[in-house]
Amino acid sequence: MLRRAGPSLRHFLLERKSSAGYSSYSGEVKMSRPVQAQRLEGIDKNIWVEFVKLAATYSTVNLGQGFPDFPPPDFLKEAFVRALSRENHMLHQYTRAFGHPLLVKILAQLFGKLLGRDLDPMTNVMVTVGAYQALFCCFQAFVDEGDEVIIIEPFFDCYEPMVKMAGGMPVFVPLRPKAPQDGKLMSSADWQLDPAELASKFSERTKAIVLNSPNNPLGKVFSRGELELIADLCVKHDVLCISDEVYEWLVYDGKEHIRIASLQGMWDRTVIIGSAGKTFSATGWKVGWTVGPNRLLQHLRTVHQNSVYHCATVAQEAVAQGFQRELELYGKPDSYFIQLSKELQQKRDWLVQSLDAVGMKPIVPEGTYFLVADISEFESDVPDVPDSDEPYDSRFAKWMVKNKGLAAIPLSAFYCGAHKNNYNRFIRFCFAKEEATLKAANDILQKWKREKTRP
Ligand code: PMP
């Protein structure tokens, strides 16, 4: 073996690097130039990291993060097992990048029926890694540097950083609560857009609006009138609509979920986003999709192709089988979509009663599996810290999980930085939980109430 005389090659290289602006310490070379891309500035903090950790550390009852603690339906689990154990070992390999053929075919069939139009599985549907990736593809594909994107507050929190990462400017417009009639509980329907305020947010720079109906965190299901208002503005200003409909099957009290893409002038400018995680109670599978016109989806395919490329084949196969069953049972009592929303409505009613009984006033959701409650009556237990930057509801939620073992998410997490203190006396609960979990939450609240009222 050849050996160099004098200092080793490694030593020689280290010295070269130090003199070129790198620092070395104990032989370890560290970079001194900034590594973070500028587009990440200001978006590095994330509510979920902190609250998921708090819940894992302190909670005995977790109604925080949005996932069911009950299993997906048997037919779906069985479909997964069948897909795994079938002779066809190709289900363990890559499938078609823009969606497993069986899944895009069934999605095109179902959404074609729902939208009343013929859909081409290959060009009008694209499968994604959960709805998250569908959203990411939309912002990357449509938003240019300086484009404005209208976001309705409160909003699913990732919209804002995703718009910013694409170089866009989020423009926020709030749903404003109006007082309920005397003696009535507030409903998510009482939170409405001010039409003039919404119209004022549209400008020449507006590229898209993000609509989330049914809405996380309020559970608001936008009415036909509200959707028409948004649609008219989209058409007038030639704006795209990114329509996050992941809770499309979770609507209560006979309320109808209306797809904005079905309104006049909207198909051509709307991308519908869905999630098997929410639809089939299997959030860990991370199967999502987009449905829309090819002229929009072709650009999503470019982002998808050059980022994740592909989603897990077996999970797609099982979700396809799940949809096949649902299509056969469509509108029938045995349909999982019908059964799930029936069960969740009962859970919603139960949590509404439980919160109302202790004075944590619930805003009754029309859809989703979330419920927002007013914590004002509990303020004396969790004193305010004057001059703190942290919104009160965030401190309240942290105190609650640490002292009462009950995890929830502060509503301020669903507002932009500048508006976090506008509605900071509310927390969000997820009620997609087993009866025992909801009962345990009720026990905590009842005990807390008794301790409050004890002389
Ligand atoms: N949109 C909304 C409104 C959501 O609540 C969620 C999940 N909490 C998502 C998108 C992401 O869904 P997925 O888990 O399918 O990525």
Side-chain angles (χ1 to χ4, degrees), residues 66 129-133 135 156 158-159 212 214-216 244 246-247 273-278 283 286-288 370 428:
V129 181
Y132 256 106
Q133 195 229 335
L135 288 160
F156 181 50
C158 72
Y159 300 157
N212 173 213
N215 160 277
N216 173 12
D244 180 342
V246 298
Y247 301 103
I273 292 174
S275 163
K278 310 294 174 178
T283 57
K286 292 299 288 183
V287 175
F370 300 113
R428 189 201 75 173

Coordinates of all heavy atoms in Angstrom, one line a residue, residues 66 129-133 135 156 158-159 212 214-216 244 246-247 273-278 283 286-288 370 428, ligand 1:
G66 N -56.4 14.9 15.7 CA -57.6 14.4 15.0 C -57.4 13.0 14.4 O -57.1 12.9 13.2
V129 N -50.0 11.1 -1.1 CA -49.7 10.6 0.2 C -50.5 11.4 1.2 O -50.1 12.4 1.8 CB -48.2 10.7 0.5 CG1 -47.9 10.1 1.9 CG2 -47.4 9.9 -0.5
G130 N -51.7 11.0 1.4 CA -52.7 11.7 2.3 C -53.1 13.0 1.6 O -52.5 13.5 0.6
A131 N -54.1 13.7 2.3 CA -54.5 15.0 1.8 C -53.4 16.0 1.9 O -53.3 17.0 1.2 CB -55.7 15.4 2.5
Y132 N -52.5 15.8 2.9 CA -51.4 16.7 3.1 C -50.6 16.9 1.8 O -50.3 18.0 1.4 CB -50.4 16.2 4.1 CG -50.5 16.8 5.5 CD1 -51.1 16.2 6.6 CD2 -49.9 18.1 5.7 CE1 -51.1 16.7 7.8 CE2 -50.0 18.6 7.0 CZ -50.5 18.0 8.0 OH -50.6 18.5 9.3
Q133 N -50.3 15.8 1.1 CA -49.5 15.9 -0.1 C -50.3 16.5 -1.2 O -49.7 17.2 -2.1 CB -48.9 14.5 -0.5 CG -47.7 14.7 -1.5 CD -47.9 13.8 -2.7 OE1 -48.5 12.7 -2.6 NE2 -47.3 14.2 -3.8
L135 N -52.4 18.9 -0.9 CA -52.4 20.3 -0.6 C -51.0 20.8 -1.1 O -50.9 21.9 -1.8 CB -52.5 20.6 0.9 CG -54.0 20.4 1.4 CD1 -53.9 20.2 2.9 CD2 -54.9 21.6 1.0
F156 N -57.1 24.9 8.8 CA -56.2 23.8 9.1 C -54.8 24.3 8.9 O -54.4 24.9 7.8 CB -56.5 22.6 8.1 CG -55.6 21.4 8.2 CD1 -55.4 20.9 9.5 CD2 -55.0 20.9 7.1 CE1 -54.6 19.7 9.6 CE2 -54.1 19.8 7.3 CZ -54.0 19.2 8.5
C158 N -51.7 23.9 8.3 CA -50.6 23.8 7.3 C -50.8 24.6 6.0 O -49.8 24.8 5.3 CB -50.3 22.3 6.9 SG -51.6 21.6 5.8
Y159 N -52.0 25.2 5.8 CA -52.2 26.0 4.6 C -51.2 27.2 4.6 O -50.6 27.5 3.5 CB -53.6 26.6 4.5 CG -54.8 25.6 4.5 CD1 -56.0 26.0 5.0 CD2 -54.6 24.3 4.1 CE1 -57.1 25.1 5.0 CE2 -55.7 23.4 4.2 CZ -56.9 23.8 4.6 OH -58.0 23.0 4.6
N212 N -62.3 24.9 3.0 CA -62.3 23.7 3.7 C -63.7 23.5 4.3 O -64.1 24.0 5.4 CB -61.2 23.7 4.8 CG -61.3 22.5 5.8 OD1 -61.0 22.6 7.0 ND2 -61.6 21.4 5.3
P214 N -66.5 20.2 5.0 CA -66.7 20.7 6.4 C -65.3 21.1 7.0 O -64.3 20.5 6.7 CB -67.2 19.4 7.1 CG -67.8 18.6 6.1 CD -67.0 18.8 4.8
N215 N -65.4 22.1 7.8 CA -64.2 22.8 8.3 C -63.6 22.3 9.6 O -64.3 22.1 10.6 CB -64.5 24.3 8.4 CG -63.6 25.1 9.3 OD1 -63.7 25.1 10.5 ND2 -62.6 25.7 8.7
N216 N -62.3 22.1 9.5 CA -61.5 21.8 10.7 C -60.9 23.2 11.1 O -60.2 23.8 10.3 CB -60.4 20.8 10.4 CG -59.4 20.6 11.5 OD1 -59.7 21.0 12.6 ND2 -58.3 19.9 11.2
D244 N -60.6 21.6 0.1 CA -60.2 20.5 1.0 C -61.5 19.9 1.6 O -62.1 20.6 2.5 CB -59.3 21.1 2.1 CG -58.8 20.1 3.1 OD1 -59.4 19.0 3.2 OD2 -57.8 20.4 3.8
V246 N -61.8 16.8 3.1 CA -61.5 15.5 3.7 C -62.5 14.9 4.6 O -62.6 13.7 4.9 CB -60.1 15.5 4.4 CG1 -59.0 15.8 3.5 CG2 -60.1 16.5 5.6
Y247 N -63.4 15.8 5.2 CA -64.5 15.4 6.1 C -65.8 15.3 5.3 O -66.9 15.4 5.9 CB -64.6 16.3 7.3 CG -63.3 16.4 8.0 CD1 -62.4 17.5 7.9 CD2 -62.9 15.3 8.9 CE1 -61.2 17.5 8.6 CE2 -61.7 15.3 9.5 CZ -60.9 16.4 9.4 OH -59.7 16.5 10.1
I273 N -59.9 17.9 -2.8 CA -59.0 17.1 -2.1 C -59.7 16.2 -1.1 O -60.6 16.6 -0.4 CB -58.0 18.0 -1.4 CG1 -57.1 18.7 -2.4 CG2 -57.1 17.2 -0.4 CD1 -56.2 19.7 -1.8
G274 N -59.3 14.9 -1.1 CA -59.9 13.9 -0.1 C -58.9 13.1 0.6 O -57.7 13.1 0.2
S275 N -59.4 12.3 1.6 CA -58.5 11.5 2.4 C -59.1 10.2 2.8 O -60.2 10.2 3.4 CB -58.1 12.3 3.6 OG -57.6 11.5 4.6
A276 N -58.5 9.1 2.5 CA -59.0 7.8 3.0 C -58.8 7.7 4.5 O -59.5 7.0 5.2 CB -58.2 6.7 2.3
G277 N -57.8 8.5 5.0 CA -57.6 8.5 6.5 C -58.9 8.9 7.2 O -59.3 8.3 8.2
K278 N -59.5 9.9 6.7 CA -60.8 10.4 7.3 C -62.0 9.6 6.9 O -62.9 9.4 7.7 CB -61.0 11.9 6.9 CG -59.8 12.8 7.1 CD -59.4 12.9 8.6 CE -58.1 13.7 8.7 NZ -57.7 13.9 10.1
T283 N -56.1 6.9 9.4 CA -55.2 8.1 9.1 C -53.8 7.7 8.9 O -53.1 8.4 8.2 CB -55.3 9.1 10.3 OG1 -54.9 8.5 11.5 CG2 -56.7 9.7 10.4
K286 N -52.3 7.0 5.2 CA -51.9 8.1 4.3 C -52.2 7.9 2.8 O -51.3 8.0 2.0 CB -50.4 8.4 4.5 CG -50.0 8.9 5.9 CD -50.7 10.3 6.3 CE -50.1 11.4 5.5 NZ -50.7 12.7 6.0
V287 N -53.4 7.7 2.6 CA -53.9 7.6 1.2 C -54.8 8.8 1.0 O -55.8 8.9 1.7 CB -54.6 6.3 0.8 CG1 -55.1 6.4 -0.6 CG2 -53.6 5.1 0.9
G288 N -54.5 9.7 0.0 CA -55.3 10.8 -0.3 C -55.5 10.9 -1.8 O -55.0 10.1 -2.5
F370 N -64.6 17.2 15.0 CA -64.1 18.2 16.0 C -65.2 19.0 16.6 O -66.2 19.3 16.0 CB -63.1 19.1 15.3 CG -61.9 18.4 14.7 CD1 -61.7 18.3 13.3 CD2 -61.0 17.7 15.5 CE1 -60.7 17.6 12.8 CE2 -60.0 17.0 15.0 CZ -59.8 16.9 13.6
R428 N -60.2 23.1 21.0 CA -60.8 22.1 20.1 C -60.7 20.7 20.7 O -59.5 20.3 21.1 CB -60.2 22.2 18.7 CG -60.9 21.3 17.7 CD -60.0 21.0 16.5 NE -59.0 20.0 16.8 CZ -58.2 19.4 16.0 NH1 -58.2 19.8 14.7 NH2 -57.3 18.5 16.3
Ligands
PMP1 N1 -57.1 18.7 5.6 C1 -57.7 18.8 6.8 C2 -58.7 19.9 7.0 C3 -57.3 18.0 7.8 O1 -57.9 18.1 9.0 C4 -56.3 17.0 7.6 C5 -55.9 16.1 8.7 N2 -56.0 16.5 10.0 C6 -55.7 16.9 6.4 C7 -56.1 17.8 5.4 C8 -54.6 15.9 6.1 O2 -55.2 14.7 5.8 P1 -54.3 13.4 5.6 O3 -54.1 12.7 7.0 O4 -55.0 12.5 4.7 O5 -53.0 13.8 5.1

